[in-house]
Structures are given as C-alpha cells and as structure tokens.
C-alpha cells in the first residue's frame, strides 16, 4: 500500500500469534547500486561528452590552444639549445605527434565542412546526388571505376527507373555464352555494375604514366577526413611554393600526401552543364561529386537513420512504461517480505488473525493477500 504523506511504499507488518505459523513482516528497503543506475549514468556521461566535443571543445576553440602549446614548445627547445641541452627527446615526441599531418610529406589536414547529410536529423541531398552522378559520368568515369555500384542503386535515389534503364542501355556488356557457346554484346540493364574505363590494371597504369586510378566505390570511407578530404583534394590544386619541385607528369596539391599527385585538375567552372540549371562553379561541382561519392560509400545511411529514429521512439516509450511499472506496480511486491514457519502450520482461528492484522489482510481461498 502507498502512503501519500510520505510518498514512499509502506508495507504492512503482520505477525501471527505464538501458535500461528504465518507472519508478514518487512522493513524499509535500502537502495543499493544496480545495473540500471550505472547504465543511466553511463548514458548521461556519453551525451554530455558528445555535446562537449561537438559544440564546446571544437577545432576552432582548440586551435589557439594548440598553437600556443606549439609556440611554447619551440621556445623551450630554443632555450634548451642555448643552455647546451641538445639531447632532449621527450618533449619533441610529445608535441610532434600532435602535428603529424601538418607537414607536406603527409599532406595538409583538410578543413572541416558542414555537410548536411552528416547531421543526425538530415538525409542526403538527392538533387546533389543526381548532379554528382552527372559529374562522375562526364568527368571522373574516364579514369576511375566504381565496381561496387550498380545501375539499380540509382533507382528511387537520384533517377527514376525509366531514366536508369535508358542510362544503362548506353553501354555494351559482354554476356553469354549463348546456345552456340559464343559470347555476345548486349545493352546494359539495371542489374549491371558501372562499366570499367580499363580492361585491366596494366592498361590503367599505361594510360596514367604508371599511376593506378583508385576505385571510387568506397573511397570516402577509405580516406582520412572522408568528405572533407575529397572536397579539399578536388579544390586544392595550386602552383608549387618556392623551394618545392614537382617532376614532369605530376601536379602539386597540398592535401595529397607528398604534395605531388598524378591526377591533373579536372574541376573547373562550367566543366559540366547541369540539367536543373544549378550554376556549375568549381566548388559546386566538387561538392556535388563529393556528395555522390559519400552516398556510394554509405548507401544505407538514410535507412539506418530512419530505423534509428523508430528505435529511439520505441525505446523512449518502453523506458517510460518500465519506470511506471517499476514504481507503481512492481515495487511493493518486490519489497515485501513473507516469512513462513512450517512447524506452526495449523492456523484455525482466521477471524482472530484478521482482527489482529487490520484491514489489509484478506482471505482468498487458501491464500492470504494484502
């Protein structure tokens, strides 16, 4: 039973006489740490950590701290050299590793861009995926393959089924053997994968001065920085700075490890003519093709987000019901204590037991309920 004044569960204390065998007794329950308590606090700590890392201790906030630490480190090293302490190895190892990707040999660390599809409540920009596929088809497909992407993957995402069938029919695929045991050429269909620009790896290297163009099916997930790196690489071409020499056939890009990349710059203003009339600037083209490559690497992302939202809603509802059931339905059953004495099992005077225990005791058949 509940006591409204004290707002806690009060359990009846029912004691039989000396000749009776059944007694109900209980004391206040002592709250002890449990798995639920640890789980709740772990979840709270995780949420707080995510908020702090994403919105408080951002790269923009920490960048001055890193810079001051690096300047202090340089000042300390200069002072150490002035004092003749040239064999200091601990301090450089601490601060040097924090800037491992800041020099040209490893490539500049790409800046962070605010991609809409990376947000929790946002999906891919499907118009950008359509434009990105157009850029890949007209610019990138001449050298790069996408072996793990089929034409059917575009249906319902960036194109209609009829549009994809028309696109696939533009390519010829070798099929067979037929009834005569011969291989033949046929138009592409929805189940075919994107065609390869080269028949084998050797031809690809010959056509690109020994460099092998990577497959772009999962290139976003395969690169440090993901979308940020791809966008920075496509827009990061420039003339080499003074003192840096680039051999013939290579091009300078500060975001590529080593600074010398075999792929020439292919993203310029108006290099493609968008069907929807979007201005085809170099940055817009790079953004669209990066979005398309990100979708190709994570085709199931939108579906995962939908499932996650449903699971979050159901989990919230289930958590509320479990709290209600725990607090108002199960707690008094869990906290009561029943003592049974088999040596005094002969209870005959039920009326005396009922009058002594109060109105909380009720006889139902051969059971005592409170």
């Amino acid at each position: 039973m509940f006591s409204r004044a004290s707002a806690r569960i009060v359990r009846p204390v029912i004691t039989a006489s000396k000749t009776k065998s059944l007694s109900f007794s209980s004391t206040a329950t002592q709250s002890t740490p449990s798995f639920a308590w640890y789980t709740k606090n772990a979840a709270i700590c995780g949420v707080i950590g995510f908020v702090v890392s994403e919105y408080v201790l951002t790269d923009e906030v920490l960048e001055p701290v890193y810079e001051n630490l690096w300047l202090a480190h340089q000042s300390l090293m200069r002072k150490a050299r002035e004092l003749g302490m040239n064999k200091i190895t601990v301090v450089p190892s601490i601060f040097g590793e924090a800037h491992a990707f800041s020099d040209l040999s490893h490539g500049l660390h790409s800046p962070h861009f605010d991609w809409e599809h990376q947000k929790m409540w946002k999906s891919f920009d499907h118009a950008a995926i359509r434009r990105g596929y157009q850029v890949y088809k007209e610019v990138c497909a001449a050298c790069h393959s996408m072996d793990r992407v089929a034409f059917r993957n575009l249906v319902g995402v960036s194109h209609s089924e009829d549009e994809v069938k028309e696109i696939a029919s533009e390519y010829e695929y070798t099929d067979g053997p037929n009834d005569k045991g011969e291989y033949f050429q046929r138009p592409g269909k929805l189940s075919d994968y994107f065609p390869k620009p080269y028949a084998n790896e050797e031809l690809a290297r010959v056509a690109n001065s020994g460099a092998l163009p990577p497959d772009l099916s999962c290139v976003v997930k395969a690169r440090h920085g993901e979308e940020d790196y791809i966008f920075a690489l496509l827009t990061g071409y420039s003339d080499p700075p003074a003192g840096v020499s680039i051999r013939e056939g290579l091009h300078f890009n500060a975001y590529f490890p080593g600074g010398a990349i075999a792929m020439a710059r292919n993203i310029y203003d108006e290099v493609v003519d968008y069907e929807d009339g979007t201005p085809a600037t170099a940055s817009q083209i790079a953004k669209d093709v990066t979005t398309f490559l990100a979708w190709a690497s994570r085709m199931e992302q939108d579906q995962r987000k939908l499932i996650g939202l449903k699971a979050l809603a159901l989990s919230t509802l289930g958590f509320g019901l479990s709290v209600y059931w725990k607090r108002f339905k199960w707690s008094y059953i869990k906290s009561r204590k029943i003592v049974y004495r088999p040596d005094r099992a002969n209870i005959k005077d039920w009326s005396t037991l009922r009058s002594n225990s109060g109105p909380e005791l009720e006889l139902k058949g051969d059971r005592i309920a409170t």
Side-chain angles (χ1 to χ4, degrees), residues 114 119 129 201 205 208 235 239 266 304 314 318 346 348:
D114 190 18
K119 299 179 180 178
I129 294 176
E201 179 179 332
R205 291 186 180 276
N208 292 276
T235 58
D239 295 331
N266 295 312
R304 289 206 317 264
L314 292 176
N346 187 15
K348 297 180 179 179

Side-chain angles (χ1 to χ4, degrees), residues 324-340:
Y324 172 80
W325 186 263
K326 171 70 175 178
R327 178 66 180 84
F328 297 103
K329 294 295 183 182
W330 180 251
S331 58
Y332 77 96
I333 299 176
K334 182 179 178 180
S335 58
R336 72 180 182 179
K337 182 179 180 182
I338 301 177
V339 179
Y340 176 68

Side-chain angles (χ1 to χ4, degrees), residues 211-352:
L212 178 64
D215 183 83
L216 300 182
S217 301
C218 300
V219 69
V220 171
K221 292 194 296 185
R223 297 295 184 269
H224 177 75
E226 299 186 342
E227 293 96 330
D228 296 334
Y229 170 77
I230 300 298
F231 182 84
L233 182 70
L234 293 177
T235 58
Y237 287 90
S238 63
D239 295 331
V244 177
S245 59
I246 303 296
R247 68 178 177 86
E248 185 179 359
L250 299 180
H251 310 273
F252 179 77
N253 192 313
Y255 295 101
F256 188 78
I261 184 173
M263 182 179 70
R265 180 181 179 183
N266 295 312
I267 303 298
Y268 299 94
D269 294 340
E270 306 297 335
V271 71
V272 296
D273 186 14
Y274 283 139
E275 301 171 351
D276 58 0
T278 302
T281 61
S283 59
Q284 181 67 47
I285 294 172
K287 173 182 177 295
D288 291 337
V289 73
T290 302
T291 302
F292 169 73
L293 295 177
W295 165 81
S297 299
R298 299 186 292 263
M299 297 182 186
E300 74 289 347
Q301 176 174 299
D302 289 351
Q303 189 65 25
R304 289 206 317 264
K305 288 184 177 181
L306 289 175
I307 295 175
L309 290 176
K310 295 177 182 179
L312 183 62
L314 292 176
S315 299
T316 304
L317 178 61
F319 178 75
L321 292 176
S322 64
V323 170
Y324 172 80
W325 186 263
K326 171 70 175 178
R327 178 66 180 84
F328 297 103
K329 294 295 183 182
W330 180 251
S331 58
Y332 77 96
I333 299 176
K334 182 179 178 180
S335 58
R336 72 180 182 179
K337 182 179 180 182
I338 301 177
V339 179
Y340 176 68
R341 297 181 177 179
D343 57 332
R344 300 179 181 178
N346 187 15
I347 300 179
K348 297 180 179 179
D349 192 356
W350 294 104
S351 60
T352 304

